[in-house]
Amino acid sequence: MSNSPEIGSRTRTRAIMEKYGIRTKKSFGQNFLTDLNVLKNIVEAADITANDNVIEIGPGIGALTEQLAQAAGEVLALEIDQDLIPVLKEVLSPYDNVKVINQDVLQANLPELIKKEFKDPSRPIKVVANLPYYITSPILMNLLASPVEWATICVMMQKEVAQRLTAKPGTKQYGALTLAIEYQMQAKIAFDVSRKVFVPSPNVDSAIVVLTPRTNPLPVQPFDKQKLFGFIRGCFAHRRKSLWNNLQSVIGKDPAVKEKMTAVLAQLDISPQIRPEKLTLEQFIELANALHRQNLL
Ligand code: SAM
């Protein structure tokens, strides 16, 4: 380690930005974290040990990367902004367990990168990131769709999105995103982060969400995962309307279809007048499966 203050300190961040003439890019969602306590708490919430391989999405100027390098076995950081690559190479040069590559995470073949870039790909793989807010959901959906078995996904996001990820049925934050996460993971908010600790300061507060694989398997499996989530999104298209109205938009209004839908709902003991946000994931799966059996999905 060099004698300079750590990258995440305000003074060092300012010095790095000045030295390399860095102007943050809004188009890449660049808000750099400048609070060492918060950075260290993120590493702790992610439970990073020397036996872990970490993938960091969007290292920026390396504030979180440096903390990860001190705790993890190896760190692979994917940064879309090529202007930051030479900066990262230089500021992270004291750490020989970090690799930085110029890569859009949404275009990345993660299983291949893991095989190619980590010396020991068999170690637990954890994702840690201060996510670019404009693509939080697509990044999460990509991570979950990937065949990689993530040991932990510990990510900072806009507080309002964090609340959607961890919402309970019947609340206004509960929706298709909550259910997509719940299908595979357990989500909890580790702590909130004030907008004031970023450069530049965004106009929303943030929260750290920790996702870990489900420990309890789902009691029912969907007939088709992709179709299930297409169906769920359709059911939430008009949140203020009843499940029945949403089902009519998704499936159809034909009298024969309506008759079958009525029978399916009665059989599952689900009121047609219920709002979609009252249904649990298990109920959505049962409903989709039953509609599929009637050739309606
Ligand atoms: N990790 C740094 C920190 O905490 O200070 C920077 C976080 S900043 C909110 C988000 C970072 O993600 C930026 O460095 C941005 O360039 C990068 N980024 C944005 N879109 C990306 C993408 N599609 N793939 C990889 N990195 C991306």
Side-chain angles (χ1 to χ4, degrees), residues 25 27-34 39 56-65 78-81 84 103-107 129-135 139 156 198:
K25 295 177 182 138
S27 59
F28 286 148
Q30 291 178 350
N31 298 94
F32 299 149
L33 192 46
T34 59
L39 288 160
E56 188 195 0
I57 300 163
I61 57 165
L64 181 56
T65 327
L78 313 180
E79 174 55 62
I80 197 173
D81 183 355
L84 294 177
Q103 171 76 54
D104 175 350
V105 68
L106 294 177
Q107 304 295 328
N130 169 12
L131 290 176
Y133 293 165
Y134 72 111
I135 43 170
I139 291 177
M156 169 128 62
F198 298 89

Side-chain angles (χ1 to χ4, degrees), residues 53 276 293:
N53 286 332
R293 283 195 295 272

Side-chain angles (χ1 to χ4, degrees), residues 235-252:
C235 288
F236 279 104
H238 306 285
R239 296 185 64 101
R240 287 165 174 278
K241 294 195 175 164
S242 64
L243 177 67
W244 180 254
N245 282 337
N246 279 293
L247 283 176
Q248 285 192 336
S249 315
V250 176
I251 293 168

Side-chain angles (χ1 to χ4, degrees), residues 168-176 179 231-247 265 269-281 283-284 287:
K168 298 276 169 268
T171 61
K172 81 173 191 297
Q173 289 88 357
Y174 183 80
L179 292 160
F231 170 67
I232 291 177
R233 276 193 301 277
C235 288
F236 279 104
H238 306 285
R239 296 185 64 101
R240 287 165 174 278
K241 294 195 175 164
S242 64
L243 177 67
W244 180 254
N245 282 337
N246 279 293
L247 283 176
L265 289 173
D269 204 15
I270 297 174
S271 158
Q273 292 322 312
I274 199 171
R275 290 272 178 84
E277 74 254 25
K278 294 265 184 189
L279 291 190
T280 63
L281 176 57
Q283 284 176 307
F284 271 114
L287 179 56

